[in-house]
Amino acid sequence: MRMVDIISKKKYGGVLTKEEIEFFVKGYTKGEIPDYQISALLMAIYFNKMNSEETLNLTLAMENSGDRLDLSGIKGIKVDKHSTGGVGDKTTLVLGPMVASLGVKLAKMSGRGLGHTGGTIDKLESFPGFSTSLSEEQFIKNVNDIGMAVTGQTGNLAPADKKLYALRDVTATVDNISLIASSIMSKKLASGADAIVLDVKCGSGAFMKNEEDAVILATEMVNIGKGAGRKTAAIISGMDEPLGYAIGNGLEVVEAINTLKGKGPKDLLELCVTLGSYMIVAAGVSDNIENADKMLRKTIEDGSAFDKFVEFIEAQGGNRNDCINPDNLIKVEKIIPVLSDMDGYISYIKSDDVGMASMMLGGGRKTKEDVIDLNVGIMLSKKVGDKVSKGDVLAFIYANSSSDIDNAKIKLLDAYAFSDDKPEIKPLIKRVIS
């Protein structure tokens, strides 16, 4: 088998076989096939696309290119949740304890944030002493003992994807549905869960800017999951304004804890309940979505979800007092109000601009090597549909001396749009693909 023949076949719109896909994935992972040949193939795939069978075979080849997490030591059905990334997205911190308190096993490997979207691992490191580097044995023990654990991704999980993504990034071949879907799902499959629920974001703060593209991506990923023998569902959720009010690692932790105590924003709770309902149905804890919804809301009302969160934080080295008094986690030098310069209704909040403003304060990374400030960020006071007058507080900036406050303030103000009439509030949950 020759790489040039595979490139030529796809260049002319041919369908690659399972063996051809495995050949180039293995060869590239081992360093036997050079970048320039894979670059040519990626461009051919970009223009001529892959069918569903090719996409599944590419995903499975990448899944099997390195380590696979063996979760067979965990009793019961293991369920994982994945978000395609958004601004203010702290769902794992709320959702995990909710489903774990109902007996669902959540064994989750998460990543760090890059750019204007935050990472779950960064948020959890807001707790002094919290360990995000668990051994496989400790990870499995925690899931068996308390129902959930969150750890950083291993260095050799789906290494083919890491190499291919780095090459896609510099060859303008990132935005291809098959390549995006196989990249995400190869890591999810290698993480070993029996069932996967996907939160596919669409809107200004998401990778997919419109609902149609999000549906195409979600459908492709669900087909991959089912093709690999995993129960899979996808929720299409809106990201045309930040999720909740808090943007920034420590601030999002505080908002997540308040949500678990029944005092959080409605949109965050709605998304967590929707995702969680499909998770507990997949795990066999409930036989229908309506009953699952009620069960999840009860975990907030009776305090069992918050109790599970405290247990989870303590099990990985954090302090329960930081859960009970989360405001103590935030230590900043300045809290600066950002005032509206207009009258009217808020019609739009450009999520990616809010995320960029938080990054300017030090709350995000421009490169993987950057050190972030876990304390800084933005706390919104007003959201879409709210009426404001000139001089009203739109948000608060949480900053330290190293923060680029002036530019962050400009970026934040630019994120807001106003109208004379109250805008129609779009539903947060757009579609469910299952």
Side-chain angles (χ1 to χ4, degrees), residues 324-345:
I324 296 166
N325 302 296
D327 289 337
N328 294 338
L329 296 171
I330 307 300
K331 297 177 176 64
V332 292
E333 296 170 11
K334 302 174 183 178
I335 300 177
I336 303 160
V338 177
L339 308 180
S340 175
D341 54 7
M342 295 183 67
D343 298 328
Y345 290 94

Side-chain angles (χ1 to χ4, degrees), residues 120-137:
T120 299
I121 292 297
D122 298 314
K123 298 184 202 334
L124 288 169
E125 287 181 345
S126 298
F127 289 97
F130 188 94
S131 174
T132 57
S133 300
L134 300 179
S135 67
E136 190 170 325
E137 294 75 20

Side-chain angles (χ1 to χ4, degrees), residues 55-361:
T55 306
L56 174 60
N57 286 330
L58 176 59
T59 307
L60 296 176
M62 291 196 294
E63 175 200 358
N64 293 314
S65 64
D67 295 339
R68 298 173 74 246
L69 195 59
D70 181 7
L71 301 182
S72 59
I74 298 174
K75 305 180 189 81
I77 296 174
K78 284 75 69 178
V79 182
D80 195 3
K81 185 275 297 183
H82 175 79
S83 169
T84 56
V87 178
D89 185 3
K90 70 283 293 180
T91 52
T92 295
L93 304 181
V94 180
L95 176 62
M98 290 172 74
V99 299
S101 67
L102 292 170
V104 175
K105 298 298 174 65
L106 180 72
K108 184 161 182 56
M109 299 186 76
S110 292
R112 298 187 181 279
L114 185 61
H116 68 268
T117 58
T120 299
I121 292 297
D122 298 314
K123 298 184 202 334
L124 288 169
E125 287 181 345
S126 298
F127 289 97
F130 188 94
S131 174
T132 57
S133 300
L134 300 179
S135 67
E136 190 170 325
E137 294 75 20
Q138 189 62 51
F139 181 69
I140 289 172
K141 183 179 186 301
N142 284 12
V143 178
N144 275 327
D145 289 350
I146 68 173
M148 67 175 293
V150 179
T151 189
Q153 294 172 347
T154 65
N156 201 39
L157 198 74
D161 173 60
K162 292 183 178 69
K163 290 194 71 174
L164 285 169
Y165 188 87
L167 195 59
R168 287 165 57 208
D169 196 34
V170 296
T171 57
T173 53
V174 170
D175 52 337
N176 171 277
I177 292 295
S178 290
L179 296 176
I180 296 168
S182 59
S183 174
I184 293 170
M185 293 302 291
S186 64
K187 294 188 286 288
K188 289 291 101 182
L189 296 177
S191 297
D194 302 309
I196 303 165
V197 175
L198 303 159
D199 178 14
V200 181
K201 306 286 190 187
C202 64
S204 68
F207 184 73
M208 291 296 170
K209 300 302 180 186
N210 61 72
E211 185 177 340
E212 293 76 16
D213 288 342
V215 169
I216 293 170
L217 175 60
T219 302
E220 193 71 71
M221 291 194 292
V222 169
N223 288 340
I224 290 171
K226 290 181 176 179
R230 315 292 175 89
K231 295 179 180 178
T232 311
I235 311 313
I236 312 294
S237 66
M239 188 41 68
D240 274 327
E241 66 175 339
L243 185 64
Y245 289 84
I247 301 95
N249 295 285
L251 292 172
E252 291 185 43
V253 167
V254 174
E255 185 167 77
I257 291 172
N258 287 336
T259 303
L260 289 166
K261 291 179 177 179
K263 298 178 289 185
K266 291 180 180 179
D267 58 347
L268 175 58
L269 181 60
E270 180 187 357
L271 180 58
C272 289
V273 169
T274 302
L275 293 168
S277 295
Y278 283 86
M279 292 172 75
I280 65 175
V281 167
V285 173
S286 174
D287 59 2
N288 65 79
I289 297 299
E290 293 75 18
N291 183 53
D293 182 294
K294 294 175 184 176
M295 293 170 68
L296 286 161
R297 293 182 191 278
K298 192 169 186 297
T299 68
I300 300 295
E301 294 164 7
D302 65 17
S304 59
F306 175 70
D307 291 342
K308 183 61 66 177
F309 180 82
V310 175
E311 191 178 4
F312 157 62
I313 294 299
E314 284 191 308
Q316 294 192 213
N319 191 312
R320 70 182 295 111
N321 290 331
D322 290 329
C323 303
I324 296 166
N325 302 296
D327 289 337
N328 294 338
L329 296 171
I330 307 300
K331 297 177 176 64
V332 292
E333 296 170 11
K334 302 174 183 178
I335 300 177
I336 303 160
V338 177
L339 308 180
S340 175
D341 54 7
M342 295 183 67
D343 298 328
Y345 290 94
I346 297 172
S347 60
Y348 189 79
I349 304 176
K350 194 176 180 186
S351 297
D352 49 357
D353 276 357
V354 179
M356 288 298 293
S358 179
M359 191 169 78
M360 290 173 178
L361 297 169

Side-chain angles (χ1 to χ4, degrees), residues 331-336 356-364 366 371-378 397-409:
K331 297 177 176 64
V332 292
E333 296 170 11
K334 302 174 183 178
I335 300 177
I336 303 160
M356 288 298 293
S358 179
M359 191 169 78
M360 290 173 178
L361 297 169
K366 295 179 182 177
V371 177
I372 61 175
D373 187 337
L374 298 172
N375 295 280
V376 301
I378 293 161
I397 286 175
Y398 285 64
N400 284 317
S401 57
S402 58
S403 300
D404 189 356
I405 297 171
D406 291 339
N407 284 327
K409 185 176 180 180

Side-chain angles (χ1 to χ4, degrees), residues 370-386:
D370 286 349
V371 177
I372 61 175
D373 187 337
L374 298 172
N375 295 280
V376 301
I378 293 161
M379 182 65 72
L380 303 179
S381 297
K382 304 289 184 181
K383 294 190 71 175
V384 171
D386 289 338

